Amino acid sequence: MATCNQNGINLRSITSIPPIKRSIYYLTRTRTQSFRCNSSLQSTTLETEPKPVFTSVKSFAPATVANLGPGFDFLGCAVDGIGDYVSLRIDPEVQPGELSISAIEGIGNSATKLTKNPLWNCAGIAAISVMKMLGIKSVGLSLSLEKGLPLGSGMGSSAASAAAAAVAVNAIFGGKLSLSDLVLAGLDSEAKVSGYHADNIAPAIMGGFVLIRSYQPLHIMPLKFPAEKELLFVLVNPEFEAPTKKMRAVLPTEIGMKHHLWNCSQAGALVASLLQGDLNGFGVAMSSDRIVEPKRAPLIPGMEAVKAAAMEAGAFGCTISGAGPTIVAITDDEEKGKEIGYQMVEAFINDGGLKACAMVRRLDRIGARVISSIPL
Amino acid sequence: MATCNQNGINLRSITSIPPIKRSIYYLTRTRTQSFRCNSSLQSTTLETEPKPVFTSVKSFAPATVANLGPGFDFLGCAVDGIGDYVSLRIDPEVQPGELSISAIEGIGNSATKLTKNPLWNCAGIAAISVMKMLGIKSVGLSLSLEKGLPLGSGMGSSAASAAAAAVAVNAIFGGKLSLSDLVLAGLDSEAKVSGYHADNIAPAIMGGFVLIRSYQPLHIMPLKFPAEKELLFVLVNPEFEAPTKKMRAVLPTEIGMKHHLWNCSQAGALVASLLQGDLNGFGVAMSSDRIVEPKRAPLIPGMEAVKAAAMEAGAFGCTISGAGPTIVAITDDEEKGKEIGYQMVEAFINDGGLKACAMVRRLDRIGARVISSIPL
């Protein structure tokens, strides 16, 4: 078993985390910017331990919307202006090669619900993975996490913490690792806390839309929404804890051919529309899931009315964000977004008896980034 | 019942064809070039009968490859340099408003197997649909069909005939109808002879890749493969009649969630790759169907070895074309395409005991077109 103490955790102990089932680790960037694994290599491990270039850095990682209807389990995107922050500093009081989580603050019950044990904290696990990739043995780090995302909201809360931490550790040592390495570090974290899926962590780190084609080998495809087009998300988060177990339990194990073919064609249309900047097509496809949403929607009180209200108010499309309970609608106009959000909140209270808050956010095209730093 | 004679069939009798289940007919072109139905309108019917502008036209419509692995039932593309020809002329010996099929020629057993009854011939049905949309009552037409595609080959033989006929009739009267109207006319034909699916007829008429998002309403999305990129198809057609009924019967009625999600993500990756011109990604996705191909491949003797030979020879991907028995591989180089074809033919004879012929063809980006005409 791993041993850890108040001050930190030795990197060797990462091996005691149950091994993630991935046979292939190393990613290379192809001409078309998709990331594919090289089947014979592990994730990057530097030959020489890099020196730190900052005494401290502060990073931000955005919220993410996974699934997007028929993009279930393979598509996600990043949402700007809301997310988690990590402050990371070189700390002589932490044993060299170790990481300590000094503080967790933030909205809701984040601070009390999350552990400071870096082996079981999303940010901690990702940070340790990056330290291991970099081969850090001579420097101790102290990490402070500021949660901007509520836990279990369906907006990629765990991925945002992991992404911010991974980017911060990489940055403090001069940014030696690639985006794909950082995704792998984040996957270590996601695997431990919410399952081995990359549809939140990949967009949280890379920004924009990301399609996960396969896990073995891991093949991640960034999908570029046209730069000249506007895309806004209306995120409506009700005061309701989505019953995660039930959300998984209701998923069908067998799917009729007709529904399978329908969802496959919607998935294709979803991807085509976003690459072509066709918000109307994107919204129609996003709203057309016949497999997952019909099963999960009844578990979120008022969901059907909320979706209807969004469409009535002019949204291009509307579905459950991640596994819920947040509902996401899309539009291309901020004022219209506010009206859509208002109508969705009204529907939540009227039909679901749930208080909810709405926000209108742009597509984040950048992903996790350093927002301030102090040079050595 | 419809009555028809040697010379032609009155357009009114088209109504006796069993009605196609489509509630919405009329298509409009959106900003992003996708075609969507207007839910309250029928297909185009001109107010004034147009005058002919040619005494005769000759048209060509390309072969098509439908399915493309995980694009099963919703994706197809056109292949240049092989297809069907229609020669159409104004014929005073045919009753005004009627159509006669004067000749059918072509490879294999096309001429003997196909009927000259325009009500039951692919080209005839599509031609009559277009005449009906145009409201032709004053002119009789005579049509001659030249089959360049073998029947039941999995290369869109029926769609090519229908597309060439639809385009020819539209052209002879001045090209009043839109591409989407022509697709609808072609669908009339496909529905009667091979099922209500548009994944051959839409690319046969429009060229390039076409995604069918839905039928009710009909929503067709042309997907542009980048103009500067080369895409070649190696089509290997064995001397073997694919057992169509068996090909349909082996399709599973229920699909496990894991396979469903896998194929959905491959469908997304397939679409993303083709829009981005990423042939490697396209080939990987096209070869990764876990639902249909594994069931159908065993019905084509040697298929597995043929696919392995294609990949070994450097193809980006390989799968069954349509419902087979033609196998399609993709490459970006003509010489390599010939070598891939040679290896596939060898594998067909060695492992499947089947003679086969190979051809290397470019993506057709134009679709059905008039190739010659004589003005009035």
Side-chain angles (χ1 to χ4, degrees):
Chain A
M1 278 297 290
T3 54
C4 58
N5 55 43
Q6 198 64 13
N7 288 329
I9 167 75
N10 190 289
L11 289 183
R12 277 186 298 259
S13 66
I14 195 79
T15 55
S16 68
I17 295 178
I20 296 159
K21 281 188 184 172
R22 65 176 192 227
S23 60
I24 304 148
Y25 289 157
Y26 192 74
L27 294 167
T28 52
R29 192 179 273 241
T30 69
R31 278 171 305 170
T32 53
Q33 302 289 308
S34 77
F35 298 91
R36 231 172 251 122
C37 296
N38 180 318
S39 59
S40 61
L41 297 169
Q42 298 268 318
S43 54
T44 297
T45 308
L46 298 190
E47 285 180 17
T48 316
E49 183 184 351
K51 302 275 182 222
V53 295
F54 299 110
T55 55
S56 71
V57 298
K58 186 170 182 180
S59 63
F60 167 80
T64 44
V65 175
N67 295 343
L68 293 152
F72 181 70
D73 227 33
F74 73 83
L75 191 65
C77 63
V79 177
D80 200 17
I82 176 169
D84 287 358
Y85 296 84
V86 158
S87 298
L88 188 78
R89 63 186 174 90
I90 292 169
D91 191 343
E93 288 182 22
V94 177
Q95 283 291 315
E98 293 187 3
L99 172 84
S100 165
I101 295 179
S102 56
I104 301 173
E105 292 171 2
I107 59 169
N109 54 6
S110 314
T112 51
K113 271 214 166 180
L114 294 176
T115 175
K116 284 186 187 168
N117 179 338
L119 266 189
W120 293 99
N121 177 287
C122 313
I125 301 167
I128 290 169
S129 282
V130 173
M131 290 174 80
K132 197 182 177 194
M133 287 177 186
L134 292 169
I136 302 305
K137 291 170 191 151
S138 315
V139 176
L141 295 173
S142 188
L143 182 154
S144 166
L145 175 62
E146 191 186 329
K147 294 291 301 174
L149 292 172
L151 306 180
S153 57
M155 292 192 280
S157 175
S158 62
S161 295
V167 162
V169 175
N170 189 39
I172 214 166
F173 291 105
K176 306 288 184 194
L177 299 181
S178 66
L179 286 181
S180 48
D181 281 322
L182 300 181
V183 171
L184 285 173
L187 254 173
D188 282 341
S189 170
E190 291 287 84
K192 188 128 187 215
V193 300
S194 66
Y196 193 65
H197 56 84
D199 45 346
N200 286 110
I201 189 67
I205 285 176
M206 299 161 76
F209 286 89
V210 183
L211 184 155
I212 320 296
R213 193 193 66 82
S214 77
Y215 285 93
Q216 289 186 325
L218 186 64
H219 182 191
I220 295 171
M221 303 171 76
L223 305 180
K224 193 180 175 191
F225 187 80
E228 69 279 11
K229 296 263 185 169
E230 183 72 288
L231 172 54
L232 292 156
F233 298 85
V234 184
L235 293 158
V236 178
N237 179 233
E239 285 183 7
F240 174 71
E241 198 166 330
T244 311
K245 275 190 183 174
K246 273 193 187 173
M247 283 293 186
R248 290 196 178 276
V250 291
L251 294 179
T253 52
E254 296 281 321
I255 291 137
M257 185 57 138
K258 208 171 156 186
H259 276 183
H260 161 68
L261 293 178
W262 172 261
N263 262 43
C264 261
S265 60
Q266 304 314 301
L270 193 72
V271 168
S273 301
L274 84 85
L275 285 170
Q276 295 173 329
D278 171 12
L279 273 190
N280 198 19
F282 185 78
V284 169
M286 164 188 177
S287 308
S288 300
D289 171 20
R290 286 185 184 166
I291 294 172
V292 175
E293 192 189 300
K295 298 289 184 185
R296 286 183 163 176
L299 299 179
I300 303 172
M303 160 66 193
E304 271 187 45
V306 171
K307 182 172 180 170
M311 301 307 287
E312 181 70 24
F316 288 111
C318 180
T319 188
I320 302 167
S321 177
T326 296
I327 308 300
V328 59
I330 59 164
T331 181
D332 58 359
D333 180 90
E334 192 154 4
E335 283 310 306
K336 194 187 273 184
K338 287 177 187 168
E339 174 60 19
I340 292 166
Y342 174 78
Q343 296 298 338
M344 290 169 76
V345 167
E346 285 289 295
F348 250 136
I349 194 76
N350 292 338
D351 271 72
L354 296 178
K355 281 188 191 170
C357 63
M359 55 190 138
V360 183
R361 297 284 184 248
R362 283 193 162 70
L363 174 69
D364 178 296
R365 299 173 190 259
I366 303 165
R369 60 263 198 185
V370 170
I371 54 173
S372 67
S373 57
I374 300 173
L376 258 181
Chain B
M1 278 297 293
T3 53
C4 57
N5 54 44
Q6 199 67 13
N7 287 330
I9 168 75
N10 190 289
L11 288 183
R12 279 185 296 263
S13 64
I14 195 78
T15 56
S16 67
I17 295 181
I20 295 159
K21 282 188 182 169
R22 65 178 191 223
S23 59
I24 304 147
Y25 290 159
Y26 193 74
L27 294 166
T28 52
R29 191 179 273 241
T30 69
R31 276 173 305 172
T32 54
Q33 300 290 306
S34 78
F35 299 91
R36 233 172 251 122
C37 296
N38 179 317
S39 59
S40 61
L41 297 168
Q42 298 267 320
S43 52
T44 297
T45 308
L46 299 189
E47 285 180 18
T48 317
E49 183 185 352
K51 302 275 180 222
V53 295
F54 299 110
T55 54
S56 71
V57 297
K58 186 170 183 180
S59 63
F60 167 80
T64 44
V65 175
N67 294 346
L68 293 152
F72 182 71
D73 227 32
F74 72 84
L75 191 66
C77 63
V79 177
D80 198 17
I82 176 169
D84 288 357
Y85 296 84
V86 157
S87 298
L88 188 78
R89 63 186 175 90
I90 293 169
D91 191 342
E93 290 182 20
V94 177
Q95 284 291 315
E98 293 188 5
L99 173 84
S100 164
I101 295 179
S102 56
I104 301 173
E105 293 172 3
I107 60 170
N109 54 5
S110 314
T112 51
K113 271 213 165 179
L114 294 176
T115 175
K116 284 186 187 169
N117 179 338
L119 266 189
W120 293 98
N121 176 287
C122 313
I125 301 166
I128 290 168
S129 282
V130 173
M131 290 174 79
K132 197 179 178 193
M133 287 178 186
L134 291 169
I136 302 304
K137 291 170 192 152
S138 316
V139 176
L141 295 173
S142 187
L143 182 154
S144 165
L145 175 63
E146 190 186 329
K147 293 291 300 175
L149 292 172
L151 306 180
S153 58
M155 291 191 282
S157 176
S158 62
S161 296
V167 163
V169 176
N170 189 39
I172 214 164
F173 291 104
K176 305 288 183 196
L177 299 180
S178 66
L179 285 181
S180 48
D181 281 322
L182 300 181
V183 170
L184 285 172
L187 254 173
D188 283 341
S189 171
E190 290 287 84
K192 187 125 187 222
V193 299
S194 66
Y196 194 65
H197 56 84
D199 44 348
N200 286 111
I201 189 67
I205 285 176
M206 300 161 75
F209 287 89
V210 183
L211 185 155
I212 320 298
R213 192 192 68 80
S214 76
Y215 285 92
Q216 289 185 324
L218 186 63
H219 181 191
I220 294 171
M221 303 171 76
L223 305 180
K224 192 181 176 191
F225 186 81
E228 69 279 11
K229 296 262 186 172
E230 182 71 288
L231 172 54
L232 292 157
F233 298 85
V234 184
L235 293 158
V236 178
N237 179 232
E239 284 183 5
F240 174 71
E241 198 166 329
T244 311
K245 274 191 182 173
K246 273 193 186 173
M247 283 293 187
R248 290 195 180 276
V250 290
L251 295 179
T253 52
E254 296 281 319
I255 291 138
M257 184 58 138
K258 207 171 157 186
H259 277 183
H260 161 69
L261 294 178
W262 171 261
N263 262 43
C264 262
S265 61
Q266 304 315 301
L270 192 72
V271 168
S273 300
L274 84 85
L275 284 170
Q276 294 173 331
D278 171 12
L279 274 190
N280 197 20
F282 185 77
V284 169
M286 162 187 178
S287 308
S288 299
D289 171 20
R290 288 186 183 165
I291 294 172
V292 176
E293 191 189 303
K295 297 289 185 187
R296 286 183 164 177
L299 299 180
I300 303 171
M303 161 65 193
E304 271 187 43
V306 171
K307 182 172 181 171
M311 301 307 287
E312 181 70 23
F316 288 112
C318 180
T319 189
I320 301 167
S321 177
T326 296
I327 309 299
V328 59
I330 58 162
T331 181
D332 58 359
D333 179 89
E334 192 153 6
E335 283 310 307
K336 195 188 272 184
K338 288 178 187 169
E339 174 61 18
I340 292 165
Y342 174 78
Q343 296 297 339
M344 291 168 76
V345 168
E346 284 289 294
F348 249 135
I349 193 77
N350 292 337
D351 270 72
L354 295 178
K355 281 187 193 172
C357 62
M359 55 190 139
V360 183
R361 296 286 185 248
R362 284 194 161 69
L363 175 69
D364 178 296
R365 299 172 190 261
I366 303 165
R369 61 266 197 182
V370 171
I371 53 173
S372 67
S373 57
I374 300 172
L376 259 180

